[in-house]
Amino acid sequence: MAGFRSLARQVRDPRSDLALRRYSLRKCLERFAPYGHRATWDHLCSRAGFGPEDRSPDPARLVAALEELEEARSVWLAYEVGFAERRKKEKHDGLRRPGSVDDWHRLTWGGFGVAWCDDPRIHPREPMAEVLRRLIAALEREPGAVCPVCTGERLAWKYDLAHEPSSGPVCRGCGIVVPRPVLTPAAVAEARRGRLLVSA
């Protein structure tokens, strides 16, 4: 099975068939898809300027989409290295029980669903790397009361999410499922009290 870097080379290869290059970009999302596969694909297509169903997009647009994905992946991989080093030090210091950030991180190892968007048509508009930087910054500071990506205050609880955890606070602005560790208990309670979002 090809890895992310091998697939990225295929996307860039001008000698490859355009259909294979597009397919290789889609396959990259099996290795790294911060919003989930469908929402990440929709995001990349809209930012690069080709349709999700376009079978023969401009090769330069495919490469632009790949470059955005690669930048976001490098941001996340750097975070994971730091996370692993921190946990190793904590274990060495006798802190064996992981915290809430660690529990959340375990569900997103490898970067899949880091900023899960349950509705693939609603996702952040900013570059993916910037979204991940904002999310990582929120994970590394005290919890707050707003969405760490768009600073939206309108969070609503949604059940039957297509990703773990199966329920959680969803930002009505950018569409991400906000990781509970970045929110204060009061913000989580407020999202639960707000109008519930029901899966379609």
Side-chain angles (χ1 to χ4, degrees), residues 23 46 57 59 65 70 77 85 93 99 101-102 122-123 133 141-142 145 148 150 153 163 166 173-174 198:
Y23 174 77
S46 63
E70 286 176 321
L77 291 177
E85 288 171 357
D93 294 343
V101 171
D102 303 317
I122 303 172
H123 44 75
R133 284 186 195 100
R141 66 177 178 254
E142 291 298 312
C150 70
E153 298 177 2
H163 181 62
S166 60
C174 67
V198 181

Side-chain angles (χ1 to χ4, degrees), residues 29-40 76 80 103-120 132 135 157-170 175-180 199:
L29 303 187
E30 292 179 9
R31 311 298 183 276
F32 181 72
Y35 305 155
H37 191 281
R38 292 173 56 213
T40 302
W76 185 251
E80 286 196 334
D103 289 340
W104 170 82
H105 187 265
R106 182 179 41 79
L107 299 173
T108 61
W109 188 257
F112 186 81
V114 171
W116 183 262
C117 297
D118 214 50
D119 183 339
L132 293 184
L135 186 62
W157 202 262
K158 184 173 181 183
Y159 291 97
D160 299 322
L161 296 170
H163 181 62
E164 286 298 321
S166 60
S167 65
V170 175
I176 73 160
V177 176
V178 180
R180 287 185 223 176
S199 296

Side-chain angles (χ1 to χ4, degrees), residues 25-89:
L25 180 60
R26 290 292 302 250
K27 292 293 280 183
C28 283
L29 303 187
E30 292 179 9
R31 311 298 183 276
F32 181 72
Y35 305 155
H37 191 281
R38 292 173 56 213
T40 302
W41 178 248
D42 192 77
H43 171 88
L44 292 173
C45 292
S46 63
R47 296 250 324 144
F50 61 93
E53 300 302 323
D54 187 349
R55 297 289 180 218
S56 54
D58 179 345
R61 293 180 188 272
L62 280 178
V63 172
L66 173 65
E67 287 172 350
E68 178 169 351
L69 188 65
E70 286 176 321
E71 183 183 2
R73 183 172 179 263
S74 69
V75 168
W76 185 251
L77 291 177
Y79 170 74
E80 286 196 334
V81 167
F83 178 89
E85 288 171 357
R86 177 181 63 81
R87 281 300 296 144
K88 183 177 180 181
K89 183 181 181 317

